[in-house]
Amino acid sequence: MGREPYFRRFLQSRAFTWALLAIPGLWLLYAYARDVVYYGEALHRSGVWATQLLFLTVSISPLRRLFPAAAVTRWLLARRRYLGVASFAYAAGHLGIYLQRKATLERVLDEALEPGLAIGWAAFALLSGLALTSNDRSVRRLGGRRWKQLHRAVHLAAALTMAHWLLTAFDPTRAWIYSGFLCLLVAVRFLPRGSISSRSAG
């Protein structure tokens, strides 16, 4: 019985959250280094994981509007910064795999102005700024209100990410599905707070 509270605390800990978020990326890096997973698959998986984590981050506020009392939304809200930083980390891995494949700066610059890749660079630059300010020190320096205004740019980052995916994918079907989901999330943000829950109660 004495171990159970410790186990629960571990499941709620920062270390467990980071480990959970890092495991897929560490496995992918290992598999790619061992040639178990090849370039195209590694590039695709890292990009999809970055996108999924970004969308999960963006979905937390709409989920709070839809299900304000749900335990899962409270759990996600407490870890929103972790999810956002993890999305950036997977995007950095995605970019690193791309750069490693291209090997030379000349080849990277030759492709940088292609619409899909230019948008990808813009999305990564925006995610970099958000990741660098996802800490308590930045909240204190910017002030809570200014910090929140800055981090609303996560929606622009999500839109740029989707445009990058749509323009570079061999089969954009999955990207279109995610784009529709993103539009739905944005629409939910404009609903009056608690409107759906009040209808359900009635």
Side-chain angles (χ1 to χ4, degrees), residues 8 16 25 28 34 38 41-42 51 54 61 70 79 83 87 90 101 103 108 110 125 130 174 178 185 187 198-199:
R8 287 182 179 177
F16 175 75
L28 183 62
R34 302 279 295 181
Y38 295 104
E41 187 177 1
T51 303
L54 181 59
S61 291
R79 292 156 180 81
L83 295 169
S87 173
Y90 279 96
R101 178 73 169 189
V108 172
D110 283 344
L130 294 174
R174 194 174 181 184
Y178 275 74
L185 289 177
S198 62
R199 289 176 193 170

Side-chain angles (χ1 to χ4, degrees), residues 129-167:
L130 294 174
L132 287 172
T133 55
S134 291
N135 52 72
D136 292 338
R137 183 179 180 183
S138 294
V139 175
R140 290 192 298 268
R141 291 187 64 181
L142 294 170
R145 185 176 179 180
R146 288 176 60 195
W147 186 89
K148 287 181 180 180
Q149 290 174 341
L150 172 64
H151 277 254
R152 285 176 186 152
V154 70
H155 298 93
L156 176 58
L160 290 172
T161 298
M162 291 317 309
H164 167 67
W165 192 359
L166 286 166
L167 290 171

Side-chain angles (χ1 to χ4, degrees), residues 4-103:
E4 186 175 353
Y6 173 80
F7 182 67
R8 287 182 179 177
R9 286 198 301 272
F10 173 71
L11 292 179
Q12 297 293 328
S13 70
R14 183 182 302 181
F16 175 75
T17 301
W18 282 123
L20 194 64
L21 293 170
I23 286 172
L26 293 174
W27 175 85
L28 183 62
L29 288 175
Y30 172 79
Y32 183 55
R34 302 279 295 181
D35 290 330
V36 176
V37 171
Y38 295 104
Y39 168 74
E41 187 177 1
L43 191 71
H44 176 70
R45 286 191 186 185
S46 57
V48 169
W49 287 339
T51 303
Q52 289 174 338
L53 286 167
L54 181 59
F55 271 46
L56 185 57
T57 305
V58 170
S59 70
I60 294 172
S61 291
L63 285 173
R64 287 182 69 203
R65 285 181 177 270
L66 294 172
F67 310 105
V72 66
T73 58
R74 294 196 301 270
W75 189 91
L76 288 170
L77 181 63
R79 292 156 180 81
R80 179 157 53 184
R81 286 193 217 170
Y82 304 154
L83 295 169
V85 173
S87 173
F88 165 75
Y90 279 96
H94 179 72
L95 177 59
I97 292 168
Y98 168 77
L99 293 176
Q100 182 267 337
R101 178 73 169 189
K102 296 304 173 182

Side-chain angles (χ1 to χ4, degrees), residues 55 162 176-190:
F55 271 46
M162 291 317 309
W176 280 115
I177 293 171
Y178 275 74
S179 297
F181 180 63
L182 178 62
C183 292
L184 181 63
L185 289 177
V186 172
V188 169
R189 290 184 63 87
F190 290 97

